[in-house]
Amino acid sequence: MLPALLNYLRGARQTRGPVLPDLMDVNRGLPTLTSSPCIHNEGCTTCADGCVSDAISLSTEDTAMVTLDLGKCLACGHCTHACPTGTIAASRITRTAVRQRSNLVLTAGVTSPPAATNMREMFRNSLVVRYVSTGDNATDMEVNACMNPLFDASRFGIQFTASPRFADALLIGGPVPLAMHEPLRATFEAMAHPRLVIAAGMQAVSGGLFTGGYTKADGVGKVLQPDIWIPGNPPHPWMIIHGLLLAMGHPLAFANQLDP
Amino acid sequence: MSDQPSALISPIPLENVPILQLRARLKTELSDGNRLGLLTAMSSPNGSQIISLLVQTLSGGVRVLISQLPHDAASYASLTPDIPQAHWFEREINDMWGIRPLGHPRLKSLVIHDTYPDNLFPLAQQVSPALMRKRNNRAAYRFSVVQGNGVYEVPVGPVHAGIIEPGHFRFSCLGEVIENLEIRLGYVHRGVEERLTNCDWKAMRHVVEAASSDTAAANAVAHAQAIESLAGVQAPPDIQRLRSACVEIERAACHIGDLGGICNDLGFGAGSAAFAVLRGTVLGIAEMITGSRFMTGVIVPLSHRNMPAKPLCTAAANRLHECRKQLQSTIPLLLQNSSAIERMEGMGVMKHSLAQDFGLVGPAGRASGIDYDVRKVFRLPEYDCMEWQTPNLYDGDVLARAKVRATEATTALDLASVMLASVTPVSAPESVVELPADSAGVGIVEAWRGELIHLILTNSDGVVARYKIKDPSFNNWTALAVAARGNLLSDFPLCNKSFGLSYSGTDL
Amino acid sequence: MSTSTAMLLAELAVEALVLPLLLVGILRTLRARLQKRTGPRILQPFYDLARLTRKSSSISLETGPVFRTAPAISLTAYLLVALVTPWWGLCAPIRGDLILVIFLLATARMAIGLAAMDTGTAFGGMGASRESMLSIFVEPTMVLALSAAALVSGNLWLNGLAKPSVIAGGSAYVLPLAAAALWLAAAVETSRMPIEDPVTHLELTMIHEAQLLEYSGARLALLEYQSALKLTVLYGLVAQLLLNELVIREPFERWVGTLGLILCLVVAAAILDTLLVRLHWRKLPDLLIFGLAFSLVACLLAALRG
Ligand code: SF4
Ligand code: SF4
């Protein structure tokens, strides 16, 4: 025990490196749309054919031939590999959280208007988060990882709490099936105003592959109104931290993000 | 030792057993070195069928027994009185098909909550919007009542305080001591099995990965095996080895994570930090070879998407080796820490005999001296390098589970490192497979929590009629409830963590 | 009111308002560093408090006036303790005796305990019962430890603690023993390891925290500040006992010494919080009985010596 403890104590601090860095090159990342033109008008449907989660829709309109909904994307990597023109390519940015669901829907050449700033000054330096898991335990693990020494969200003033009464933000992972609708609502009701709702991961954003079934697992949006949407399957800890920083209105969240 | 992984031998033998004889038959089979892998039901044109899957733990094979119920029969004689492992399976059959196991000692809902409309049996019928709008008169779930002087109840959940999945725990306590614990699950029932019978087979792999997304790799492997055994084909050995390596990496990452969780529940901040960092390293290696921290989207039937190049595999193997060294110097923080040992010793004891009755699987089972490991029974060739430990007759307490998991994490890193070092990238086309009619396909994997089974049954048109997933946790929840008895309320979280069960894998 | 008293009061106000939160900030940052994390800023508790005071309260309809007033009552009790004890190294502006202090501490505990029961939640009741179980050990320990100190200094006024002139020579182990006992009692009162895990999320394992789960907004802010103040005052008193053992008399030296010792205790708390494994609930009496024994021996020695 003692040698192990000394060894531990001698170790360096593990929180290092830049904040919200891009993912490693080996990571598949999430798809994004580039400026290279799509050739759907020449009959290409490769990306949409292989997308099992209906995240990609194609239309013959010249201006918006391909639309990519990151809120449904499984990050399977099919489209980024298969697109012959590079219109869809992998993106490894972790500043992916947005304040409006529609901003997760990318359309080539179209940028959506900036979201209304409803950020609350009062959370700038301190945010207490209550996490509710609703059926995606990989997201649970990534949320846990946010507080570990490698990511250490606590340095931004983020804390997780056991009681909804203490909480400012309700972070939700998983597709929210029927049996969780009431418990989720009750947790939200127990929180003091002002309060924020954050959907973490594609399952929480859209229900993912479970949507439309008898369990009504259609994502958080059907039960509460999220203020922040985080894509990813599961979202990388940095993406979750970006979502939390965005909720705080933290300056670090506002550079190069997906949200205009 | 057979040189073929037996689970993949196809076709999987199917046998019709009259429902009236099923109970006696299963009883003899189970005393004969077989395990009840799973018990479920299926709809067929002539009425429902009860399906039992037996795992031959001595010779390494699986058999499927099919018992036809008479047309429009909505009940059968419960198996649970003779076969305790059937307890939860029968509750699930009752929920999903409305087939009542008559004489079941404690029949209540398992996954279909009171919030669902009446007469909704999701797998027995096509669920229409009209049905979903129907009025709900379901009887409210009744918890067992423990009577006695001074017994009070502490309800916990469904939303838990920590960052874990939802489930309801109803403790009946006498002072600080837990007299009884009833666990109610089903909060994350997402309709996985219904989805699996109604989707394109290319989408299936993503659905199974989400069934219990912390076990994505093992689920994907079980799915691939099941499809392959159904179609009577096999993936090249290099691909199988790579898959096993992924399962081992997942095992290491999750066990290390939970060891950190145990430290956390002990209030031991240094330990939890050290393990969390290590877990991050292992996930980094997973990311390196698969492009995803949870190894999703690469393990597919017959093939492997984005097969890593040789140098990458070698580099990953080396890093795993490094990581193993770090793990070895970290484990003593917990397992040679006398105050931690004192806390864990004798807590949450699961006796060997009970463990056998409940059919405990995985590390929790091995900590109670159950010598069952899918990897050992089915002898995949890539595990030849592993020296199997003889039954580890531990005490079945929290400490034993922590020890087993620490050992397994270490061997998993070793195994993954050896396997990866010998993977040579091959190209295997992901050709569309024809599924034969009226057959069964089985995938069986030792996931980090234990035996994970995927069973696929096709109908006469060669269409998937039933896809059953049996998560290892399904066998172990009852054990947690039993192990908690007699312990202090404040010890429960630690006990729970040492089992580390999946809620979503159970609820599906 | 003379100018010096006014200055004293002003200084006390600053110290009682700023120091506690600063100490909590330092403790948390240190704890994070020991876990190889960067951790929150040292000023984080101030930000937390600022946020809480701007939030509304969400109160369960089941609760009554006890729940609503308890935070104010318990904070007032602690503020009074801060006013009547020389925890910061100088004489307290108001003279209070040992009995008053014990009464105030009990009032604070009782208010919180009753409020927890008032919520009607299982956790509230559980926390209150656990807390009162521990207080069986903590209260006598505090009474005895402070009595021993009072005996050494010659009167029941706790200000005697800050006037080491009345101590003739060493205290023959009385003060170190009393300090150790008081420190242990402080560890229980401030939910420190190995008695309680101050960062746990697990309601089932909570003792003190379980009583507070239903609070929000400004009331929660009062409680957070109260717990920081509690930490500071109790550590300050431990520091006084140790300083008297060292026979430091100069007011300025005492003041600096107090701050230094409090800081040392905070550092020790951070280290213990990170490296210790929490004790089993059934084993807690085995530890707490030491506190009781120390304080008892200290008391006896002091009585014999006098
Ligand atoms: S990466 Fe996303 S958008 Fe692309 S095919 Fe996969 S699920 Fe669809
Ligand atoms: S985005 Fe790429 S793959 Fe999709 S239609 Fe356009 S060119 Fe084809």
Side-chain angles (χ1 to χ4, degrees):
Chain A
M1 156 75 179
L2 212 56
L5 195 60
L6 289 178
N7 189 25
Y8 166 79
L9 289 175
R10 265 200 300 268
R13 201 199 300 174
Q14 297 288 337
T15 319
R16 39 182 181 213
V19 172
L20 301 173
D22 286 354
L23 299 177
M24 288 196 293
D25 279 345
V26 289
N27 195 299
R28 230 177 280 141
L30 285 168
T32 192
L33 296 181
T34 66
S35 52
S36 352
C38 168
I39 49 167
H40 174 54
N41 47 4
E42 294 164 26
C44 177
T45 55
T46 318
C47 54
D49 287 349
C51 181
V52 298
S53 65
D54 292 329
I56 300 175
S57 41
L58 297 170
S59 93
T60 41
E61 265 176 62
D62 269 359
T63 47
M65 261 189 266
V66 46
T67 317
L68 172 63
D69 185 355
L70 291 180
K72 290 183 179 169
C73 173
L74 290 166
C76 73
H78 161 80
C79 55
T80 53
H81 262 265
C83 175
T85 57
T87 310
I88 300 189
S91 150
R92 296 187 176 81
I93 61 163
T94 51
R95 299 161 185 272
T96 49
V98 295
R99 281 172 277 157
Q100 269 174 17
R101 174 71 179 88
S102 57
N103 287 347
L104 285 180
V105 184
L106 312 179
T107 310
V110 179
T111 30
S112 31
T117 321
N118 57 353
M119 288 306 115
R120 299 187 187 269
E121 196 68 31
M122 62 184 292
F123 298 136
R124 176 70 50 92
N125 289 305
S126 162
L127 183 80
V128 175
V129 184
R130 177 78 166 97
Y131 179 70
V132 176
S133 159
T134 70
D136 177 12
N137 43 18
T139 302
D140 302 358
M141 288 188 156
E142 295 298 55
V143 170
N144 252 319
C146 290
M147 299 307 279
N148 78 17
L150 299 171
F151 298 99
D152 191 31
S154 75
R155 63 187 138 147
F156 309 114
I158 297 169
Q159 298 163 56
F160 281 79
T161 178
S163 171
R165 307 252 183 228
F166 296 4
D168 310 310
L170 185 59
L171 182 68
I172 301 142
V176 200
L178 187 57
M180 279 310 286
H181 286 196
E182 247 342 281
L184 185 60
R185 227 174 260 132
T187 308
F188 180 69
E189 288 310 323
M191 292 166 64
H193 289 276
R195 50 199 179 182
L196 300 167
V197 177
I198 306 173
M202 59 81 84
Q203 295 201 19
V205 170
S206 67
L209 292 171
F210 299 116
T211 185
Y214 68 92
T215 56
K216 301 190 177 164
D218 301 321
V220 180
K222 288 282 149 59
V223 183
L224 302 172
Q225 287 163 356
D227 300 278
I228 305 283
W229 308 81
I230 307 173
N233 178 40
H236 191 277
W238 279 127
M239 297 180 177
I240 299 171
I241 291 178
H242 180 247
L244 296 173
L245 290 176
L246 197 59
M248 296 164 89
H250 198 289
L252 280 171
F254 292 100
N256 310 320
Q257 82 274 32
L258 214 60
D259 224 5
Chain B
M1 186 205 301
S2 70
D3 47 5
Q4 279 300 331
S6 332
L8 303 182
I9 287 179
S10 60
I12 301 289
L14 297 175
E15 191 185 335
N16 284 310
V17 176
I19 183 73
L20 292 175
Q21 290 165 22
L22 185 61
R23 189 155 149 179
R25 172 70 187 276
L26 284 179
K27 228 176 132 183
T28 38
E29 293 277 8
L30 294 190
S31 57
D32 227 22
N34 290 304
R35 247 188 75 77
L36 181 64
L38 60 85
L39 184 74
T40 186
M42 176 167 132
S43 310
S44 79
N46 313 323
S48 309
Q49 294 167 332
I50 301 291
I51 316 277
S52 350
L53 183 143
L54 290 171
V55 181
Q56 288 147 270
T57 54
L58 302 177
S59 53
V62 291
R63 279 174 300 148
V64 175
L65 309 184
I66 298 179
S67 313
Q68 182 73 46
L69 294 184
H71 200 70
D72 65 63
S75 63
Y76 69 100
S78 168
L79 307 172
T80 308
D82 277 337
I83 304 158
Q85 299 98 294
H87 180 190
W88 278 35
F89 287 116
E90 295 200 313
R91 282 171 67 182
E92 191 190 39
I93 290 174
N94 182 44
D95 270 4
M96 305 299 277
W97 281 270
I99 304 173
R100 265 185 102 76
L102 297 175
H104 189 286
R106 257 172 302 170
L107 190 62
K108 9 179 147 180
S109 78
L110 185 70
V111 293
I112 302 295
H113 277 212
D114 331 338
T115 35
Y116 285 94
D118 294 347
N119 296 322
L120 172 81
F121 303 114
L123 294 181
Q125 74 219 114
Q126 206 61 38
V127 183
S128 62
L131 180 63
M132 283 308 287
R133 276 195 301 272
K134 270 246 282 283
R135 242 163 30 105
N136 162 13
N137 284 319
R138 274 178 196 263
Y141 185 91
R142 281 232 210 112
F143 286 93
S144 315
V145 181
V146 176
Q147 266 155 358
N149 218 350
V151 175
Y152 69 103
E153 294 203 326
V154 181
V156 179
V159 178
H160 291 305
I163 302 177
I164 38 166
E165 297 183 77
H168 187 102
F169 297 129
R170 180 70 58 108
F171 299 94
S172 304
C173 298
L174 200 58
E176 287 278 331
V177 181
I178 301 171
E179 290 294 307
N180 188 49
L181 162 61
E182 183 167 349
I183 299 172
R184 186 189 189 198
L185 299 179
Y187 290 93
V188 289
H189 174 63
R190 293 142 298 159
V192 172
E193 293 181 351
E194 183 261 355
R195 223 359 82 97
L196 282 168
T197 45
N198 288 324
C199 73
D200 178 3
W201 78 277
K202 286 218 167 180
M204 273 185 199
R205 62 184 69 145
H206 299 291
V207 179
V208 299
E209 279 175 348
S212 176
S213 43
D214 58 1
T215 323
N219 270 302
V221 173
H223 168 72
Q225 281 182 3
I227 292 275
E228 286 162 8
S229 87
L230 187 59
V233 288
Q234 275 206 22
D238 273 299
I239 286 180
Q240 293 194 23
R241 211 173 305 134
L242 186 53
R243 284 178 189 169
S244 294
C246 290
V247 173
E248 293 305 323
I249 292 175
E250 184 171 85
R251 184 185 327 279
C254 291
H255 283 333
I256 294 171
D258 270 6
L259 288 173
I262 289 176
C263 289
N264 203 20
D265 289 1
L266 287 169
F268 181 34
S272 86
F275 283 111
V277 170
L278 256 181
R279 179 169 180 274
T281 316
V282 181
L283 291 185
I285 300 170
E287 195 174 1
M288 201 168 142
I289 57 166
T290 65
S292 142
R293 278 159 63 94
F294 288 81
M295 297 180 281
T296 55
V298 289
I299 299 162
V300 298
L302 281 174
S303 176
H304 191 95
R305 296 257 291 268
N306 315 334
M307 190 105 179
K310 186 86 192 162
L312 203 59
C313 289
T314 321
N318 292 339
R319 281 185 63 185
L320 282 167
H321 192 69
E322 272 307 301
C323 193
R324 178 200 199 270
K325 280 194 216 143
Q326 287 169 18
L327 178 62
Q328 262 185 324
S329 60
T330 310
I331 286 176
L333 278 182
L334 178 66
L335 291 182
Q336 287 176 21
N337 183 334
S338 52
S339 41
I341 291 176
E342 202 186 309
R343 274 301 303 277
M344 296 188 284
E345 220 164 22
M347 185 191 290
V349 176
M350 189 66 215
K351 285 212 205 74
H352 178 73
S353 56
L354 275 176
Q356 209 133 33
D357 283 349
F358 293 133
L360 234 65
V361 296
R366 290 190 277 281
S368 295
I370 305 263
D371 180 29
Y372 173 56
D373 188 321
V374 173
R375 297 172 291 176
K376 190 170 166 182
V377 170
F378 289 92
R379 291 275 178 194
L380 292 164
E382 57 267 27
Y383 285 100
D384 283 351
C385 61
M386 169 131 179
E387 279 178 30
W388 295 104
Q389 311 270 317
T390 35
N392 21 33
L393 264 173
Y394 279 126
D395 321 311
D397 55 3
V398 172
L399 179 62
R401 286 187 285 275
K403 276 184 185 162
V404 170
R405 297 179 78 174
T407 318
E408 291 193 9
T410 321
T411 42
L413 288 176
D414 273 341
L415 282 167
S417 165
V418 172
M419 289 173 193
L420 270 183
S422 63
V423 165
T424 316
V426 289
S427 72
E430 204 190 316
S431 43
V432 181
V433 277
E434 278 289 309
L435 301 182
D438 287 323
S439 330
V442 174
I444 179 163
V445 175
E446 182 74 16
W448 63 277
R449 292 189 178 95
E451 174 207 63
L452 170 71
I453 303 180
H454 284 211
L455 167 68
I456 308 180
L457 293 159
T458 52
N459 64 13
S460 49
D461 302 326
V463 172
V464 175
R466 177 80 183 105
Y467 196 123
K468 169 75 194 152
I469 298 177
K470 198 278 305 174
D471 191 90
S473 309
F474 201 89
N475 303 91
N476 289 7
W477 275 107
T478 331
L480 170 61
V482 172
R485 276 185 211 151
N487 287 280
L488 296 193
L489 202 48
S490 55
D491 290 338
F492 178 73
L494 191 56
C495 200
N496 190 8
K497 190 46 113 197
S498 72
F499 277 93
L501 301 178
S502 166
Y503 301 65
S504 46
T506 307
D507 294 348
L508 293 176
Chain C
M1 197 193 288
S2 68
T3 14
S4 70
T5 322
M7 282 208 18
L8 199 69
L9 269 176
E11 199 182 327
L12 178 61
V14 171
E15 244 173 281
L17 288 178
V18 177
L19 190 61
L21 293 178
L22 204 58
L23 287 178
V24 170
I26 292 172
L27 176 62
R28 291 201 187 141
T29 308
L30 270 177
R31 203 161 50 201
R33 291 298 159 89
L34 281 165
Q35 288 185 11
K36 312 290 172 198
R37 292 189 284 127
T38 299
R41 285 163 295 190
I42 288 183
L43 293 184
Q44 190 62 39
F46 293 91
Y47 292 124
D48 290 348
L49 227 56
R51 171 182 53 81
L52 279 177
T53 47
R54 290 162 74 184
K55 280 200 75 159
S56 70
S57 276
S58 124
I59 297 180
S60 152
L61 292 175
E62 256 101 87
T63 56
V66 180
F67 176 82
R68 282 151 216 260
T69 48
I73 293 175
S74 76
L75 177 59
T76 314
Y78 268 96
L79 283 172
L80 286 174
V81 174
L83 277 175
V84 301
T85 54
W87 60 274
W88 51 315
L90 306 178
C91 283
I94 301 176
R95 295 218 304 176
D97 66 6
L98 167 61
I99 309 300
L100 175 65
V101 170
I102 299 298
F103 166 76
L104 287 172
L105 293 181
T107 308
R109 188 199 326 277
M110 185 126 107
I112 296 294
L114 285 177
M117 311 260 242
D118 191 22
T119 60
T121 61
F123 293 123
M126 202 177 69
S129 104
R130 287 178 180 171
E131 175 97 1
S132 52
M133 150 85 197
L134 288 188
S135 70
I136 295 175
F137 291 93
V138 176
E139 286 191 346
T141 306
M142 286 214 213
V143 173
L144 290 172
L146 290 177
S147 310
L151 279 172
V152 171
S153 65
N155 60 27
L156 274 182
W157 302 116
L158 285 170
N159 265 344
L161 287 183
K163 284 196 198 128
S165 53
V166 292
I167 302 170
S171 67
Y173 310 116
V174 174
L175 291 175
L177 276 174
L182 195 59
W183 176 72
L184 208 57
V188 181
E189 282 286 310
T190 56
S191 309
R192 299 251 74 80
M193 289 288 286
I195 294 115
E196 181 171 6
D197 180 2
V199 291
T200 189
H201 290 317
L202 305 163
E203 300 141 327
L204 284 174
T205 69
M206 289 176 176
I207 303 172
H208 183 71
E209 275 278 299
Q211 303 177 89
L212 314 178
L213 287 172
E214 290 295 305
Y215 280 106
S216 55
R219 287 188 181 83
L220 185 58
L222 291 185
L223 288 169
E224 297 241 312
Y225 168 61
Q226 185 242 36
S227 83
L229 184 65
K230 177 158 52 167
L231 179 105
T232 318
V233 169
L234 291 177
Y235 280 2
L237 287 175
V238 175
Q240 298 321 308
L241 301 185
L242 292 174
L243 285 176
N244 283 359
E245 179 66 18
L246 300 173
V247 203
I248 292 172
R249 292 162 199 229
E250 270 306 305
F252 181 70
E253 277 176 27
R254 270 196 89 84
W255 183 76
V256 173
T258 305
L259 276 186
L261 276 175
I262 291 182
L263 219 53
C264 288
L265 289 171
V266 164
V267 172
I271 294 176
L272 295 182
D273 276 359
T274 322
L275 299 186
L276 284 189
V277 167
R278 192 180 166 188
L279 274 181
H280 193 263
W281 173 248
R282 285 212 176 101
K283 295 274 163 58
L284 281 186
D286 299 5
L287 173 71
L288 301 184
I289 205 82
F290 274 105
L292 208 50
F294 283 174
S295 57
L296 197 63
V297 172
C299 227
L300 287 176
L301 284 177
L304 288 177
R305 188 177 158 279

